[in-house]
Amino acid sequence: MASSGLQLLGFMLAMVGLAATIAATNMVEWRVSYDATEDQHRTSKGLWMTCSGRSGGIVTCQLYESLLKLPIEIQATRAVMLVGIFLSSMALIVSTVGMKCTRFMDGKEQSKSTVVLAAGVMFIISGLLTLTITSWYVRVIVESFFGSNKLNRYEFGSAVFMSWAGAILTLAGGVFLSCRRCSKSGSSMSQHNLHTSPNHGSNYV
């Protein structure tokens, strides 16, 4: 029962992490710039489009026209985030097959444990990819902030924090799913010792 609850907790954490990662990938506020001299003019740049407008006014957004003209940090972040989303999506399907609360592969406990372990590893890889590329993107923004003039300075926006949260939740879910196999092995060993210890004791009576 405990291992099944641990599986369910890991699955839920990973699913929320995937949703947060998808939301962060589609958000525009990866980097933002404020200009107080022009009626609070604000510019936001995401992985797919850029938006600009004044505070309380109409905001206009425009999709990036050419992939090759984009900065390397946007191209790399977009690619790695999509890979992470794909891995997490596949891991959700795989973990559904191997979880104890599902009826898939009934009677094959060892196979189900291996499937869940594989799903957990996929979640961990996805979380590490998202965490690494987001941190690198933030580093690029910080270096650009201190290396450019005041009129072209950008700060990292709310999408960065959403991406970090998604990465951490995905990592946690993967760890819980992977550790379930270890806990099962430990419990099986302890049960084996309990069954064998009376037999050893009976030899001395």
Side-chain angles (χ1 to χ4, degrees):
M1 183 66 68
S3 60
S4 180
L6 194 64
Q7 278 187 349
L8 187 58
L9 175 61
F11 181 83
M12 294 300 296
L13 288 175
M15 186 169 61
V16 174
L18 173 60
T21 303
I22 294 175
T25 305
N26 290 280
M27 289 174 65
V28 183
E29 295 84 8
W30 277 81
R31 60 170 68 184
V32 293
S33 175
Y34 300 94
D35 190 355
T37 61
E38 296 185 10
D39 192 21
Q40 296 292 331
H41 188 272
R42 172 178 174 173
T43 302
S44 302
K45 290 187 177 182
L47 303 180
W48 310 96
M49 67 179 68
T50 177
C51 296
S52 61
R54 290 177 172 83
S55 178
I58 299 177
V59 178
T60 58
C61 297
Q62 183 178 4
L63 291 171
Y64 298 130
E65 296 180 357
S66 175
L67 176 64
L68 299 178
K69 293 181 181 179
L70 294 176
I72 185 63
E73 64 269 16
I74 295 181
Q75 296 184 38
T77 304
R78 180 192 290 186
V80 175
M81 293 292 287
L82 290 178
V83 171
I85 291 173
F86 175 77
L87 280 177
S88 292
S89 301
M90 292 298 100
L92 277 180
I93 299 174
V94 173
S95 59
T96 302
V97 174
M99 290 176 64
K100 293 184 67 175
C101 57
T102 62
R103 295 186 177 275
F104 297 102
M105 302 173 66
D106 280 344
K108 300 179 180 179
E109 293 300 324
Q110 187 64 31
S111 299
K112 287 175 75 73
S113 299
T114 303
V115 170
V116 171
L117 178 62
V121 172
M122 292 173 67
F123 278 128
I124 292 174
I125 295 174
S126 175
L128 288 176
L129 286 175
T130 304
L131 186 65
T132 302
I133 197 63
T134 305
S135 301
W136 177 73
Y137 188 89
V138 170
R139 179 183 175 184
V140 172
I141 295 176
V142 172
E143 291 178 351
S144 176
F145 180 85
F146 290 105
S148 60
N149 56 63
K150 294 183 178 180
L151 296 179
N152 295 322
R153 285 183 174 178
Y154 282 89
E155 303 176 6
F156 49 87
S158 56
V160 169
F161 300 102
M162 179 70 73
S163 182
W164 272 333
I168 293 173
L169 290 173
T170 304
L171 271 172
V175 169
F176 280 128
L177 287 173
S178 300
C179 286
R180 179 257 173 191
R181 182 180 176 89
C182 301
S183 63
K184 180 182 178 182
S185 300
S187 61
S188 299
M189 219 177 204
S190 61
Q191 289 179 2
H192 175 73
N193 293 334
L194 287 175
H195 286 298
T196 55
S197 57
N199 295 331
H200 289 299
S202 62
N203 294 331
Y204 294 97
V205 176

